[in-house]
């Protein structure tokens, strides 16, 4: 892939204030030094196996396959990881790298709280200080995750600027990093931001498709015909795609949150409704208003509620290697309920966006075809919100 100077085609790059350049250069050099170091690789593999619970299972969704009557469907079970999602893969990698760099403090942004909880978890395990920035609005909506982060020993700072949500938390974490780079690593939560973050996060999440490939070859003796994953910033999707990019027979499908529909203003489908721009240190596609300002975004799923998309996805879209499709709240909720009843697996509402696309695609494919859907997380956290969506008032 064209990755010179952190570019993916025209996307990516490092659009940073001068004060942060030293920090990203230091990080880039450290990553180049450690990424193939046998001790680092071994320590990370040990953490993946003995702490996160990897490899995650590849489960044949037998009833779902039979019910839909087409392609055979497998589920990559990132929901079974410690802390309940794929986020732990990236966080363990970055926390270990930060330790090697001599850093003693992790800062992170979080929206729904999943990345904050994963970062607080890694900090507790590796004996590091942890500060999490979270939009004030989100601290109220996700009070339980705020409690979990504090229980794990992290400090949670409510961000009161802008719309008081995820994008403001990212901006605040970047500001904090500028003012304190000597002992602090910014543990960014997705394949976004300035180079080298999109590359680092992809590499740590690529364990998903590395395992997927080995597991499907063992079970079926061949590659899948399609890999489907949901896309917020795009880390679980990039991790699911990475080891299949060269295998052009494999369709790569990213599912964006359409919210109430891509023809409404209440959407977070960046590729389908956004335009090229520069924000949060990178060039990519962003949801923007008529003046080029970052538009407010909406999805029932807090984890997909980001106005941008990682630069490598923007590039895969440009060259036609991956497809990005919108999935509405209603479609995701139906898939959430369907997978729960059919397979006994309650997926995160984010992951349900990918399940929905598989439900549409499988019946149109022959029975000897294979689809793998990444279940990026478990859905316990979403039950109260989905109940509310269905008009039931459930107290958490
Ligand atoms: C955070 C999150 C996402 C969205 O983030 P990506 O970087 O796009 O993967 C998706 N699913 C779950 C369960 C999450 O917690």
């Amino acid at each position: 892939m064209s990755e010179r100077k952190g570019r993916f085609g025209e996307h990516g790059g490092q659009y940073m204030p001068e004060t942060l350049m030293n920090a990203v250069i230091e990080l880039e050099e450290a990553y180049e030094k450690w990424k193939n170091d046998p001790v680092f690789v071994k320590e990370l593999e040990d953490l993946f196996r003995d702490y996160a619970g990897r490899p995650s299972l590849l489960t044949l969704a037998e009833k779902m396959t039979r019910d839909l009557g087409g392609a055979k469907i497998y589920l990559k079970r990132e929901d079974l990881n410690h802390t309940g999602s794929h986020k732990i893969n990236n966080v363990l990698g970055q926390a270990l790298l930060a330790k090697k760099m001599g850093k003693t403090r992790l800062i992170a942004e979080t929206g729904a709280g999943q990345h904050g909880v994963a970062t607080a978890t890694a900090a507790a395990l590796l004996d590091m200080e942890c500060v999490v920035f979270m939009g004030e609005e989100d601290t109220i909506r996700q009070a339980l995750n705020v409690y979990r982060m504090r229980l794990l020993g992290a400090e949670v700072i409510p961000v009161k600027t802008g719309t008081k949500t995820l994008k403001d938390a990212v901006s605040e974490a970047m500001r904090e990093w500028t003012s304190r780079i000597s002992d602090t690593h910014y543990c960014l939560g997705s394949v976004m931001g300035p180079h080298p973050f999109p590359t680092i996060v992809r590499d740590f999440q690529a364990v998903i498709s590395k395992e997927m490939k080995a597991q499907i070859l063992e079970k079926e003796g061949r590659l899948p015909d399609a890999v489907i994953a949901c896309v917020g910033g795009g880390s679980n999707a990039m991790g699911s795609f990475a080891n299949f990019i060269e295998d052009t027979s494999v369709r790569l499908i990213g599912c964006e949150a359409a919210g109430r529909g891509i023809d409404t203003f209440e959407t977070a489908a960046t590729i389908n409704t956004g335009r090229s721009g520069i924000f949060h240190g990178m060039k990519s596609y962003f949801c923007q208003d008529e003046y080029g300002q970052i538009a407010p975004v909406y999805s029932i799923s807090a984890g997909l509620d980001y106005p941008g998309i990682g630069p490598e996805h923007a590039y895969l879209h440009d060259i036609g290697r991956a497809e990005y499709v919108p999935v509405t709240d209603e479609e995701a909720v139906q898939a959430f309920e369907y997978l729960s009843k059919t397979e006994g697996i309650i997926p995160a509402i984010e992951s349900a966006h990918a399940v929905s696309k598989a439900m549409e695609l499988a019946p149109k494919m022959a029975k000897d075809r294979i689809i793998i859907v990444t279940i990026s997380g478990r859905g316990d956290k979403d039950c109260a919100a989905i109940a509310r969506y269905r008009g039931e008032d459930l107290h958490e």
Side-chain angles (χ1 to χ4, degrees):
M1 291 284 110
S2 81
E3 210 179 296
R4 274 173 304 142
K5 291 180 194 156
R7 287 281 176 180
F8 303 95
E10 65 172 282
H11 305 283
Q14 289 176 317
Y15 295 88
M16 302 302 293
E18 211 49 48
T19 41
L20 259 187
M21 279 313 287
N22 286 337
V24 292
I25 290 167
E26 184 194 6
L27 178 61
E28 187 178 352
E29 287 172 359
Y31 184 60
E32 286 307 312
K33 175 175 169 206
W34 288 105
K35 71 175 184 189
N36 295 319
D37 180 271
V39 173
F40 180 82
V41 171
K42 165 85 167 56
E43 284 178 6
L44 186 56
E45 278 172 5
D46 289 350
L47 285 175
F48 276 0
R49 187 188 55 244
D50 299 328
Y51 191 70
R54 305 207 71 88
S56 67
L57 298 176
L58 185 72
T59 303
L60 172 63
E62 214 172 333
K63 276 179 66 196
M64 182 175 171
T65 297
R66 209 180 319 132
D67 181 53
L68 295 171
K72 204 164 178 179
I73 299 166
Y74 282 91
L75 308 173
K76 181 59 172 161
R77 305 288 307 283
E78 295 300 301
D79 58 309
L80 297 177
N81 297 339
H82 180 48
T83 70
S85 82
H86 68 292
K87 295 257 168 38
I88 196 79
N89 306 328
N90 167 46
V91 159
L92 288 174
Q94 284 198 50
L96 197 60
L97 179 64
K99 275 224 116 153
K100 298 291 181 203
M101 294 170 73
K103 309 287 180 186
T104 55
R105 182 170 174 263
L106 295 176
I107 59 171
E109 83 292 345
T110 198
Q114 297 302 106
H115 176 58
V117 168
T119 306
T121 298
L125 176 73
L126 298 177
D127 200 18
M128 300 173 88
E129 225 184 298
C130 182
V131 178
V132 179
F133 294 89
M134 188 170 187
E136 191 177 44
E137 213 26 69
D138 291 333
T139 61
I140 297 161
R141 286 192 293 201
Q142 304 288 339
L144 186 60
N145 273 340
V146 174
Y147 178 77
R148 288 166 80 197
M149 287 183 260
R150 291 187 172 140
L151 188 63
L152 291 159
E155 182 186 353
V156 179
I157 300 185
V159 175
K160 301 176 198 298
T161 51
T163 51
K164 304 184 175 95
T165 56
L166 177 59
K167 79 167 175 41
D168 310 291
V170 174
S171 303
E172 200 53 39
M174 285 185 174
R175 248 194 299 280
E176 167 70 12
W177 201 28
T178 312
S179 72
R180 192 167 161 185
I181 58 177
S182 58
D183 66 347
T184 299
H185 173 69
Y186 177 17
C187 185
L188 216 158
S190 192
V191 286
M192 45 152 294
H195 175 68
F197 284 111
T199 298
I200 291 181
V201 178
R202 175 202 63 203
D203 291 353
F204 289 141
Q205 291 293 359
V207 68
I208 299 174
S209 52
K210 186 178 160 205
E211 289 175 5
M212 235 184 218
K213 201 170 197 175
Q215 288 165 323
I216 200 70
L217 285 174
E218 195 198 312
K219 286 176 194 290
E220 295 282 347
R222 69 180 195 87
L223 295 178
D225 298 284
V227 172
I228 308 180
C230 65
V231 181
S235 68
N236 87 87
M238 216 46 245
S240 302
F241 295 172
N243 286 283
F244 293 109
I245 290 174
E246 308 291 321
D247 303 309
T248 51
S249 67
V250 182
R251 269 178 81 181
L252 304 176
I253 304 173
C255 300
E256 299 194 314
R260 298 209 164 86
I262 55 173
D263 48 357
T264 74
F265 288 104
E266 292 174 296
T267 181
T270 307
I271 295 269
N272 284 277
T273 68
R275 280 178 289 134
S276 180
I278 292 168
F279 187 55
H280 285 156
M282 61 177 171
K283 185 166 186 202
S284 190
Y285 292 111
F286 296 95
C287 297
Q288 301 170 41
D289 68 16
E290 56 188 304
Y291 305 107
Q293 298 295 322
I294 297 299
V297 285
Y298 163 80
S299 162
I300 190 170
S301 143
L304 303 182
D305 205 347
Y306 180 71
I309 186 168
E312 193 167 4
H313 285 296
Y315 173 67
L316 293 176
H317 165 72
D318 285 355
I319 63 170
R321 178 63 192 96
E323 305 154 58
Y324 296 86
V325 298
V327 176
T328 63
D329 284 359
E330 178 58 32
E331 290 167 329
V333 169
Q334 282 177 18
F336 177 89
E337 294 165 342
Y338 179 82
L339 195 70
S340 301
K341 286 208 176 70
T342 316
E343 295 292 335
I345 296 169
I346 303 174
I349 187 65
E350 291 84 5
S351 323
H353 287 70
V355 174
S356 170
K357 186 65 194 175
M359 289 164 65
E360 179 203 314
L361 206 58
K364 299 178 189 160
M365 291 167 71
K367 288 191 176 180
D368 62 351
R369 301 279 137 178
I370 298 167
I371 295 175
I372 302 180
V373 185
T374 299
I375 305 300
S376 54
R378 62 172 185 237
D380 313 44
K381 66 180 179 60
D382 300 308
C383 289
I386 304 301
R388 256 192 317 274
Y389 179 88
R390 289 295 191 216
E392 236 177 283
D393 199 13
L394 199 151
H395 294 280
E396 276 178 275

